[in-house]
Amino acid sequence: MKVIDTVIFDLGGVLIDWNPKYLYREVFNGDEEKMDWFLNTICTYEWNMEHDAGRPIKEGTELLINDYPEYESWIRLYYDQWPKMLGGPISDTVKILKRLKQMETYNLFALTNWSNETFPIAKERYGFLNDFEGIVVSGDEKTRKPYPEIYGIILDRYKISPDKAVFIDDNHDNIVTADKLGIKGIHFKNADQLQEELLALNVKL
């Protein structure tokens, strides 16, 4: 078994609870059906991912309003009130990060799909993000997971050997790319499962 010396974390869904529903549940007064329709049809996951890949938020917002002018006020809320989508740290996973940090055995990095316009809000809010030696933000790089280019960026920038690294992400597609590039991927479901899989890789906690 290869000795792991680097642990790379995804952020949203692994260390930070982010969900547009926290905002739009309030906007639609708890009407789940209406909220789901809006997020699946108008302000979609795919639309948001374009901003994660570097598209300016103002540009993406105006494009959507041009297509759906009748929903302009709701569309603008997506980024005008974006901080309301942050549910807080996923505390049990943050504890794992903290234990790894205290051991001083592993290089710790983050690789996140995140708009470079909204990431500073999270950086200011969550002190544990300072525990990483480096964070690669997709919006800064103008590419995103699961495209191989962004994995190459973090490997090259921080001189990471893929066969000595483990990558943790809640999106299975992102894990598939990591595995193809020789990085051991862990498809995150919860902190207990993550701890078990890390221990199985002989990552000490």
Coordinates of all heavy atoms in Angstrom, one line a residue, residues 35-114:
M35 N -40.5 25.8 -4.8 CA -39.1 26.0 -4.7 C -38.3 25.0 -5.6 O -37.4 25.4 -6.3 CB -38.7 25.8 -3.2 CG -37.2 25.8 -3.0 SD -36.8 25.3 -1.3 CE -37.2 23.6 -1.4
D36 N -38.7 23.7 -5.5 CA -38.0 22.7 -6.3 C -38.2 23.0 -7.8 O -37.2 22.9 -8.6 CB -38.5 21.3 -6.0 CG -38.1 20.8 -4.7 OD1 -37.1 21.4 -4.1 OD2 -38.7 19.9 -4.1
W37 N -39.4 23.4 -8.2 CA -39.6 23.8 -9.6 C -38.6 24.9 -10.0 O -37.9 24.8 -11.1 CB -41.0 24.2 -9.9 CG -41.2 24.7 -11.3 CD1 -41.5 23.9 -12.4 CD2 -41.1 26.0 -11.8 NE1 -41.5 24.7 -13.5 CE2 -41.3 26.0 -13.2 CE3 -40.8 27.3 -11.1 CZ2 -41.2 27.2 -13.9 CZ3 -40.8 28.4 -11.9 CH2 -41.0 28.4 -13.3
F38 N -38.5 25.9 -9.2 CA -37.7 27.1 -9.6 C -36.2 26.7 -9.7 O -35.5 27.1 -10.6 CB -37.9 28.2 -8.5 CG -37.1 29.4 -8.8 CD1 -37.5 30.3 -9.8 CD2 -35.9 29.7 -8.1 CE1 -36.7 31.5 -10.0 CE2 -35.1 30.8 -8.4 CZ -35.6 31.7 -9.4
L39 N -35.7 25.9 -8.7 CA -34.3 25.5 -8.7 C -34.0 24.5 -9.8 O -32.8 24.3 -10.2 CB -33.9 25.1 -7.3 CG -33.9 26.1 -6.2 CD1 -33.6 25.5 -4.9 CD2 -32.9 27.3 -6.5
N40 N -35.0 23.7 -10.2 CA -34.7 22.7 -11.2 C -35.0 23.2 -12.6 O -34.5 22.6 -13.6 CB -35.6 21.5 -11.0 CG -35.2 20.7 -9.8 OD1 -34.1 20.6 -9.4 ND2 -36.2 20.1 -9.1
T41 N -35.6 24.4 -12.7 CA -36.0 24.9 -14.1 C -35.4 26.3 -14.4 O -35.0 26.5 -15.5 CB -37.5 25.1 -14.1 OG1 -38.2 23.9 -13.7 CG2 -38.0 25.4 -15.5
I42 N -35.2 27.1 -13.4 CA -34.7 28.5 -13.6 C -33.3 28.6 -13.1 O -32.3 28.6 -13.9 CB -35.6 29.6 -13.0 CG1 -37.1 29.3 -13.4 CG2 -35.2 31.0 -13.4 CD1 -37.4 29.4 -14.9
C43 N -33.1 28.8 -11.9 CA -31.7 28.9 -11.3 C -31.2 27.5 -11.0 O -31.2 27.0 -9.9 CB -31.8 29.8 -10.0 SG -32.0 31.5 -10.3
T44 N -30.8 26.9 -12.1 CA -30.4 25.4 -12.0 C -29.0 25.2 -11.5 O -28.2 26.1 -11.5 CB -30.6 24.8 -13.4 OG1 -29.6 25.4 -14.3 CG2 -32.0 25.0 -13.9
Y45 N -28.7 24.0 -11.1 CA -27.4 23.6 -10.7 C -26.4 23.9 -11.9 O -25.3 24.4 -11.6 CB -27.4 22.1 -10.4 CG -26.1 21.4 -10.2 CD1 -25.5 21.5 -8.9 CD2 -25.5 20.7 -11.2 CE1 -24.3 20.9 -8.7 CE2 -24.2 20.1 -10.9 CZ -23.6 20.2 -9.7 OH -22.4 19.6 -9.5
E46 N -26.8 23.6 -13.1 CA -25.9 23.8 -14.3 C -25.6 25.3 -14.5 O -24.5 25.6 -14.8 CB -26.6 23.2 -15.5 CG -26.7 21.7 -15.5 CD -27.8 21.1 -14.6 OE1 -28.7 21.9 -14.3 OE2 -27.7 19.9 -14.3
W47 N -26.6 26.1 -14.3 CA -26.4 27.6 -14.4 C -25.4 28.1 -13.3 O -24.5 28.8 -13.6 CB -27.8 28.3 -14.2 CG -27.7 29.8 -14.1 CD1 -27.5 30.6 -15.1 CD2 -27.9 30.5 -12.9 NE1 -27.5 31.9 -14.6 CE2 -27.8 31.9 -13.3 CE3 -28.1 30.2 -11.6 CZ2 -27.9 32.9 -12.4 CZ3 -28.3 31.2 -10.7 CH2 -28.1 32.6 -11.1
N48 N -25.6 27.6 -12.1 CA -24.7 28.0 -11.0 C -23.2 27.5 -11.3 O -22.3 28.2 -11.0 CB -25.2 27.4 -9.7 CG -24.2 27.7 -8.6 OD1 -24.0 28.9 -8.2 ND2 -23.6 26.7 -8.0
M49 N -23.1 26.3 -11.9 CA -21.8 25.8 -12.1 C -21.0 26.6 -13.1 O -19.8 26.6 -13.1 CB -21.9 24.3 -12.7 CG -22.4 23.3 -11.6 SD -21.1 23.1 -10.3 CE -20.1 21.9 -11.2
E50 N -21.7 27.3 -14.0 CA -21.0 28.2 -14.9 C -20.2 29.3 -14.2 O -19.1 29.8 -14.6 CB -21.9 28.8 -16.0 CG -22.5 27.8 -16.9 CD -21.4 27.2 -17.8 OE1 -20.5 27.9 -18.3 OE2 -21.4 25.9 -18.0
H51 N -20.8 29.8 -13.1 CA -20.1 30.8 -12.2 C -19.0 30.1 -11.5 O -17.9 30.8 -11.3 CB -21.1 31.4 -11.3 CG -22.3 32.0 -12.0 ND1 -23.6 31.5 -11.9 CD2 -22.4 32.9 -13.0 CE1 -24.4 32.2 -12.7 NE2 -23.7 33.0 -13.4
D52 N -19.2 28.9 -11.1 CA -18.1 28.2 -10.4 C -16.9 28.1 -11.4 O -15.7 28.0 -11.0 CB -18.5 26.8 -10.0 CG -19.4 26.8 -8.8 OD1 -19.6 27.9 -8.2 OD2 -19.9 25.7 -8.4
A53 N -17.2 28.0 -12.7 CA -16.1 27.9 -13.7 C -15.6 29.2 -14.2 O -14.8 29.3 -15.1 CB -16.7 27.1 -14.9
G54 N -16.0 30.3 -13.5 CA -15.4 31.6 -13.8 C -16.3 32.6 -14.5 O -15.9 33.7 -14.7
R55 N -17.5 32.2 -14.9 CA -18.4 33.2 -15.5 C -18.7 34.3 -14.5 O -19.1 34.0 -13.4 CB -19.6 32.6 -16.1 CG -20.6 33.6 -16.8 CD -21.7 32.9 -17.5 NE -22.6 32.3 -16.6 CZ -23.7 31.5 -16.9 NH1 -23.9 31.3 -18.2 NH2 -24.5 31.0 -16.1
P56 N -18.6 35.6 -14.9 CA -19.0 36.6 -13.9 C -20.5 36.5 -13.5 O -21.4 36.2 -14.4 CB -18.8 37.9 -14.7 CG -17.8 37.6 -15.7 CD -18.1 36.1 -16.1
I57 N -20.8 36.7 -12.3 CA -22.1 36.5 -11.7 C -23.1 37.5 -12.4 O -24.2 37.1 -12.8 CB -22.1 36.7 -10.2 CG1 -21.5 35.5 -9.5 CG2 -23.6 37.0 -9.7 CD1 -21.3 35.6 -8.1
K58 N -22.7 38.7 -12.6 CA -23.5 39.7 -13.3 C -23.9 39.2 -14.7 O -25.1 39.4 -15.1 CB -22.8 41.1 -13.3 CG -23.7 42.2 -13.9 CD -22.9 43.5 -13.8 CE -23.9 44.7 -14.2 NZ -24.5 44.6 -15.5
E59 N -23.0 38.7 -15.4 CA -23.2 38.2 -16.8 C -24.2 37.1 -16.7 O -25.2 37.1 -17.5 CB -21.9 37.8 -17.4 CG -22.1 37.2 -18.8 CD -20.8 36.6 -19.4 OE1 -19.7 37.3 -19.1 OE2 -20.8 35.6 -20.0
G60 N -24.0 36.1 -15.9 CA -24.9 35.0 -15.8 C -26.3 35.3 -15.4 O -27.3 34.8 -15.8
T61 N -26.4 36.3 -14.4 CA -27.7 36.7 -13.9 C -28.5 37.4 -15.1 O -29.7 37.2 -15.3 CB -27.5 37.7 -12.7 OG1 -26.8 37.0 -11.7 CG2 -28.8 38.2 -12.2
E62 N -27.8 38.3 -15.8 CA -28.5 39.0 -16.9 C -28.9 38.1 -18.0 O -30.0 38.2 -18.6 CB -27.6 40.1 -17.4 CG -27.3 41.2 -16.4 CD -28.5 41.9 -15.9 OE1 -29.5 42.0 -16.6 OE2 -28.4 42.3 -14.7
L63 N -28.1 37.1 -18.3 CA -28.5 36.1 -19.3 C -29.8 35.4 -18.9 O -30.7 35.1 -19.7 CB -27.4 35.0 -19.5 CG -26.1 35.5 -20.3 CD1 -25.0 34.4 -20.2 CD2 -26.5 35.6 -21.8
L64 N -29.9 35.0 -17.6 CA -31.0 34.3 -17.2 C -32.3 35.2 -17.2 O -33.4 34.7 -17.5 CB -30.8 33.7 -15.8 CG -31.6 32.5 -15.4 CD1 -31.4 31.3 -16.3 CD2 -31.2 32.0 -13.9
I65 N -32.1 36.4 -16.7 CA -33.2 37.4 -16.7 C -33.7 37.6 -18.2 O -34.9 37.8 -18.4 CB -32.8 38.7 -16.0 CG1 -32.6 38.4 -14.5 CG2 -33.8 39.8 -16.3 CD1 -32.0 39.5 -13.8
N66 N -32.8 37.6 -19.1 CA -33.2 37.8 -20.5 C -34.1 36.7 -21.0 O -35.0 36.9 -21.7 CB -31.9 37.9 -21.4 CG -32.2 38.2 -22.8 OD1 -32.8 39.3 -23.1 ND2 -31.9 37.4 -23.7
D67 N -33.8 35.4 -20.5 CA -34.6 34.3 -20.9 C -35.9 34.2 -20.1 O -36.9 33.7 -20.6 CB -33.7 33.0 -20.6 CG -32.6 32.8 -21.6 OD1 -32.7 33.4 -22.7 OD2 -31.7 32.0 -21.3
Y68 N -35.8 34.6 -18.8 CA -37.0 34.5 -18.0 C -37.3 35.8 -17.3 O -37.2 35.9 -16.0 CB -36.8 33.4 -16.9 CG -36.5 32.1 -17.5 CD1 -35.2 31.6 -17.5 CD2 -37.5 31.2 -17.9 CE1 -34.9 30.3 -18.0 CE2 -37.2 30.0 -18.4 CZ -35.9 29.5 -18.5 OH -35.6 28.3 -19.0
P69 N -37.7 36.9 -18.0 CA -37.9 38.2 -17.4 C -38.9 38.2 -16.3 O -38.9 39.0 -15.4 CB -38.2 39.1 -18.6 CG -38.7 38.1 -19.7 CD -37.9 36.9 -19.5
E70 N -39.9 37.3 -16.4 CA -41.0 37.3 -15.5 C -40.5 36.9 -14.1 O -41.2 37.1 -13.1 CB -42.2 36.4 -15.9 CG -41.8 35.0 -16.0 CD -41.2 34.5 -17.4 OE1 -40.5 35.3 -18.0 OE2 -41.5 33.4 -17.8
Y71 N -39.3 36.3 -14.0 CA -38.8 35.8 -12.7 C -37.6 36.6 -12.2 O -36.8 36.2 -11.4 CB -38.4 34.3 -12.8 CG -39.6 33.4 -13.2 CD1 -39.5 32.7 -14.4 CD2 -40.7 33.3 -12.4 CE1 -40.6 31.9 -14.7 CE2 -41.8 32.5 -12.7 CZ -41.7 31.8 -13.9 OH -42.8 31.0 -14.3
E72 N -37.5 37.8 -12.8 CA -36.3 38.6 -12.5 C -36.0 38.8 -11.0 O -34.9 38.6 -10.5 CB -36.4 40.0 -13.1 CG -35.2 40.9 -12.8 CD -35.2 42.3 -13.5 OE1 -36.2 42.5 -14.3 OE2 -34.3 43.1 -13.2
S73 N -37.0 39.1 -10.2 CA -36.8 39.4 -8.8 C -36.3 38.2 -8.1 O -35.3 38.3 -7.2 CB -38.1 39.9 -8.1 OG -39.1 39.0 -8.2
W74 N -36.8 37.0 -8.4 CA -36.4 35.8 -7.7 C -35.0 35.4 -8.2 O -34.2 34.9 -7.4 CB -37.3 34.6 -8.1 CG -38.7 34.8 -7.4 CD1 -39.0 35.6 -6.4 CD2 -39.9 34.1 -7.7 NE1 -40.3 35.5 -6.0 CE2 -40.9 34.5 -6.9 CE3 -40.2 33.1 -8.7 CZ2 -42.2 34.0 -6.9 CZ3 -41.5 32.6 -8.7 CH2 -42.5 33.1 -7.9
I75 N -34.7 35.6 -9.5 CA -33.3 35.3 -10.0 C -32.3 36.2 -9.3 O -31.2 35.7 -8.9 CB -33.3 35.5 -11.6 CG1 -34.2 34.5 -12.3 CG2 -31.9 35.5 -12.1 CD1 -34.4 34.8 -13.7
R76 N -32.5 37.4 -9.2 CA -31.6 38.3 -8.6 C -31.3 38.0 -7.1 O -30.2 38.2 -6.6 CB -32.0 39.8 -8.7 CG -32.0 40.3 -10.1 CD -32.1 41.9 -10.1 NE -32.1 42.3 -11.5 CZ -31.1 42.4 -12.3 NH1 -29.9 42.1 -11.9 NH2 -31.2 42.9 -13.5
L77 N -32.3 37.4 -6.5 CA -32.1 37.0 -5.1 C -31.0 36.0 -4.9 O -30.3 35.9 -3.9 CB -33.4 36.5 -4.5 CG -34.5 37.5 -4.2 CD1 -35.7 36.8 -3.7 CD2 -34.0 38.5 -3.1
Y78 N -30.7 35.2 -5.9 CA -29.8 34.0 -5.8 C -28.4 34.5 -5.4 O -27.8 33.9 -4.5 CB -29.7 33.3 -7.2 CG -29.0 32.0 -7.1 CD1 -29.8 30.8 -7.1 CD2 -27.6 31.8 -7.1 CE1 -29.3 29.6 -7.1 CE2 -27.1 30.5 -7.0 CZ -27.9 29.4 -7.0 OH -27.3 28.2 -7.0
Y79 N -28.0 35.6 -6.0 CA -26.6 36.1 -5.5 C -26.7 37.3 -4.6 O -25.9 37.5 -3.8 CB -25.8 36.4 -6.7 CG -25.2 35.1 -7.3 CD1 -25.8 34.6 -8.6 CD2 -24.3 34.3 -6.7 CE1 -25.3 33.4 -9.1 CE2 -23.9 33.1 -7.2 CZ -24.4 32.7 -8.4 OH -23.9 31.5 -8.9
D80 N -27.8 38.1 -4.7 CA -28.0 39.2 -3.8 C -28.1 38.7 -2.3 O -27.6 39.4 -1.4 CB -29.3 40.0 -4.1 CG -29.1 40.8 -5.4 OD1 -28.0 41.0 -5.9 OD2 -30.2 41.3 -5.9
Q81 N -28.7 37.5 -2.1 CA -28.8 37.0 -0.8 C -28.1 35.7 -0.6 O -28.5 34.8 0.2 CB -30.3 36.9 -0.4 CG -31.0 38.2 -0.4 CD -32.4 38.1 0.3 OE1 -32.7 37.3 1.1 NE2 -33.3 39.0 -0.2
W82 N -27.1 35.5 -1.4 CA -26.3 34.2 -1.4 C -25.8 33.8 -0.1 O -25.9 32.5 0.2 CB -25.1 34.4 -2.4 CG -24.3 33.1 -2.6 CD1 -24.5 32.1 -3.5 CD2 -23.2 32.7 -1.8 NE1 -23.6 31.2 -3.3 CE2 -22.7 31.5 -2.2 CE3 -22.5 33.3 -0.7 CZ2 -21.7 30.8 -1.7 CZ3 -21.4 32.7 -0.1 CH2 -21.0 31.4 -0.6
P83 N -25.4 34.6 0.8 CA -24.9 34.1 2.1 C -26.0 33.3 2.9 O -25.6 32.5 3.7 CB -24.6 35.4 2.9 CG -24.2 36.4 1.8 CD -25.1 36.1 0.7
K84 N -27.3 33.5 2.6 CA -28.3 32.8 3.3 C -28.3 31.3 2.9 O -28.9 30.5 3.5 CB -29.7 33.4 3.0 CG -29.9 34.7 3.7 CD -31.3 35.2 3.5 CE -31.6 36.5 4.2 NZ -33.0 37.0 4.1
M85 N -27.6 31.0 1.8 CA -27.4 29.6 1.4 C -26.4 28.8 2.2 O -26.3 27.6 2.1 CB -27.1 29.5 -0.1 CG -28.1 30.1 -1.0 SD -27.5 30.0 -2.7 CE -28.8 31.0 -3.6
L86 N -25.6 29.5 3.0 CA -24.6 28.9 3.8 C -25.2 28.4 5.1 O -25.7 29.2 5.9 CB -23.5 29.8 4.1 CG -22.6 30.2 2.9 CD1 -21.7 31.4 3.3 CD2 -21.8 29.0 2.5
G87 N -25.2 27.1 5.3 CA -25.8 26.5 6.5 C -24.8 26.4 7.7 O -25.2 26.0 8.8
G88 N -23.6 26.6 7.4 CA -22.5 26.5 8.4 C -21.6 25.3 8.2 O -21.7 24.6 7.2
P89 N -20.6 25.2 9.1 CA -19.7 24.1 9.0 C -20.3 22.7 9.2 O -21.3 22.6 9.9 CB -18.7 24.3 10.1 CG -18.9 25.7 10.6 CD -20.4 26.0 10.3
I90 N -19.8 21.7 8.5 CA -20.2 20.3 8.8 C -19.3 19.8 9.9 O -18.1 19.4 9.6 CB -20.2 19.5 7.5 CG1 -21.1 20.1 6.4 CG2 -20.5 18.0 7.8 CD1 -21.1 19.4 5.1
S91 N -19.7 20.0 11.1 CA -18.8 20.0 12.2 C -18.0 18.7 12.4 O -16.8 18.7 12.7 CB -19.6 20.3 13.5 OG -20.6 19.3 13.7
D92 N -18.7 17.5 12.1 CA -17.9 16.3 12.3 C -16.8 16.1 11.3 O -15.8 15.5 11.7 CB -18.9 15.1 12.2 CG -19.8 14.9 13.4 OD1 -19.5 15.6 14.4 OD2 -20.8 14.2 13.3
T93 N -17.0 16.6 10.1 CA -15.9 16.6 9.1 C -14.8 17.6 9.5 O -13.6 17.3 9.3 CB -16.4 16.8 7.7 OG1 -17.7 16.1 7.6 CG2 -15.4 16.3 6.7
V94 N -15.2 18.7 10.0 CA -14.2 19.7 10.4 C -13.3 19.1 11.5 O -12.1 19.4 11.6 CB -14.9 21.0 10.9 CG1 -13.9 22.0 11.5 CG2 -15.6 21.7 9.7
K95 N -13.9 18.3 12.4 CA -13.1 17.7 13.5 C -12.1 16.8 12.9 O -10.9 16.7 13.4 CB -14.1 16.9 14.4 CG -14.9 17.8 15.3 CD -15.9 16.9 16.1 CE -16.8 17.8 16.9 NZ -17.9 17.0 17.6
I96 N -12.4 16.1 11.8 CA -11.4 15.2 11.1 C -10.3 16.1 10.6 O -9.1 15.7 10.7 CB -12.1 14.4 10.1 CG1 -13.0 13.3 10.7 CG2 -11.0 13.7 9.2 CD1 -13.8 12.5 9.7
L97 N -10.6 17.2 9.9 CA -9.6 18.1 9.4 C -8.7 18.6 10.5 O -7.5 18.6 10.3 CB -10.3 19.2 8.7 CG -9.4 20.4 8.3 CD1 -8.4 20.0 7.2 CD2 -10.3 21.6 7.8
K98 N -9.3 19.0 11.6 CA -8.5 19.5 12.7 C -7.6 18.4 13.3 O -6.4 18.8 13.6 CB -9.5 20.0 13.8 CG -10.3 21.2 13.5 CD -9.4 22.5 13.4 CE -10.1 23.7 13.2 NZ -9.2 24.9 13.0
R99 N -8.0 17.2 13.4 CA -7.1 16.1 13.9 C -6.0 15.9 12.9 O -4.8 15.7 13.4 CB -7.9 14.8 14.1 CG -8.9 14.9 15.2 CD -9.2 13.5 15.8 NE -9.8 12.6 14.8 CZ -11.1 12.5 14.6 NH1 -12.0 13.3 15.2 NH2 -11.5 11.6 13.7
L100 N -6.3 15.9 11.6 CA -5.2 15.8 10.6 C -4.2 16.9 10.8 O -3.0 16.7 10.7 CB -5.8 15.7 9.2 CG -6.6 14.5 8.9 CD1 -7.3 14.6 7.6 CD2 -5.6 13.2 8.8
K101 N -4.7 18.1 11.0 CA -3.9 19.3 11.1 C -3.0 19.2 12.3 O -1.7 19.5 12.3 CB -4.7 20.6 11.2 CG -3.9 21.9 11.3 CD -3.3 22.2 10.0 CE -2.6 23.6 10.1 NZ -1.9 23.9 8.8
Q102 N -3.5 18.8 13.4 CA -2.8 18.7 14.7 C -1.6 17.6 14.6 O -0.6 17.8 15.2 CB -3.7 18.3 15.8 CG -4.6 19.5 16.2 CD -5.7 19.1 17.1 OE1 -5.9 17.9 17.5 NE2 -6.6 20.0 17.5
M103 N -1.8 16.6 13.8 CA -0.8 15.6 13.7 C 0.4 16.0 12.9 O 1.5 15.5 13.1 CB -1.4 14.3 12.9 CG -2.5 13.6 13.7 SD -2.9 12.1 12.9 CE -1.4 11.1 13.1
E104 N 0.3 17.0 12.1 CA 1.4 17.6 11.3 C 2.1 16.5 10.5 O 3.3 16.6 10.3 CB 2.4 18.3 12.3 CG 1.8 19.4 13.0 CD 2.8 20.1 13.9 OE1 3.9 19.6 14.2 OE2 2.5 21.3 14.4
T105 N 1.4 15.5 10.1 CA 1.9 14.4 9.3 C 1.5 14.6 7.8 O 2.3 14.1 6.9 CB 1.4 13.1 9.8 OG1 1.7 12.9 11.2 CG2 1.9 11.9 9.0
Y106 N 0.4 15.2 7.5 CA -0.1 15.2 6.2 C -0.2 16.7 5.6 O -0.4 17.6 6.4 CB -1.5 14.6 6.2 CG -1.6 13.2 6.7 CD1 -2.0 13.0 8.0 CD2 -1.2 12.2 5.9 CE1 -2.0 11.7 8.5 CE2 -1.1 10.9 6.4 CZ -1.5 10.6 7.7 OH -1.5 9.3 8.2
N107 N 0.0 16.8 4.3 CA -0.2 18.0 3.6 C -1.7 18.1 3.3 O -2.3 17.2 2.8 CB 0.6 18.0 2.3 CG 2.1 17.8 2.5 OD1 2.7 18.4 3.3 ND2 2.6 16.8 1.8
L108 N -2.3 19.3 3.7 CA -3.7 19.4 3.6 C -4.0 20.5 2.6 O -3.6 21.7 2.7 CB -4.3 19.8 5.0 CG -4.1 18.8 6.1 CD1 -4.6 19.3 7.4 CD2 -4.8 17.4 5.7
F109 N -4.9 20.2 1.6 CA -5.3 21.1 0.6 C -6.8 21.0 0.3 O -7.4 20.0 0.8 CB -4.6 20.8 -0.7 CG -3.1 21.0 -0.7 CD1 -2.3 19.9 -0.5 CD2 -2.5 22.2 -0.7 CE1 -0.9 20.0 -0.4 CE2 -1.1 22.4 -0.6 CZ -0.3 21.3 -0.5
A110 N -7.3 22.0 -0.3 CA -8.7 22.0 -0.7 C -8.8 22.3 -2.2 O -8.1 23.1 -2.8 CB -9.6 23.0 0.0
L111 N -9.8 21.6 -2.9 CA -10.1 21.7 -4.3 C -11.6 21.9 -4.4 O -12.3 20.9 -4.2 CB -9.6 20.5 -5.1 CG -9.9 20.5 -6.6 CD1 -9.2 21.7 -7.3 CD2 -9.4 19.2 -7.2
T112 N -12.0 23.1 -4.7 CA -13.4 23.4 -4.6 C -14.0 24.0 -5.9 O -13.3 24.9 -6.5 CB -13.7 24.3 -3.4 OG1 -15.1 24.5 -3.3 CG2 -13.0 25.7 -3.6
N113 N -15.2 23.6 -6.3 CA -16.0 24.3 -7.3 C -16.7 25.5 -6.6 O -17.6 25.2 -5.8 CB -17.0 23.4 -8.0 CG -16.3 22.5 -9.0 OD1 -15.2 22.6 -9.3 ND2 -17.1 21.5 -9.5
W114 N -16.3 26.7 -6.9 CA -16.8 27.8 -6.1 C -16.6 29.1 -6.9 O -15.5 29.3 -7.5 CB -16.2 28.0 -4.8 CG -17.0 28.6 -3.7 CD1 -17.6 29.8 -3.8 CD2 -17.3 28.0 -2.4 NE1 -18.3 30.0 -2.6 CE2 -18.1 29.0 -1.8 CE3 -17.0 26.8 -1.8 CZ2 -18.6 28.8 -0.5 CZ3 -17.5 26.6 -0.5 CH2 -18.3 27.6 0.1

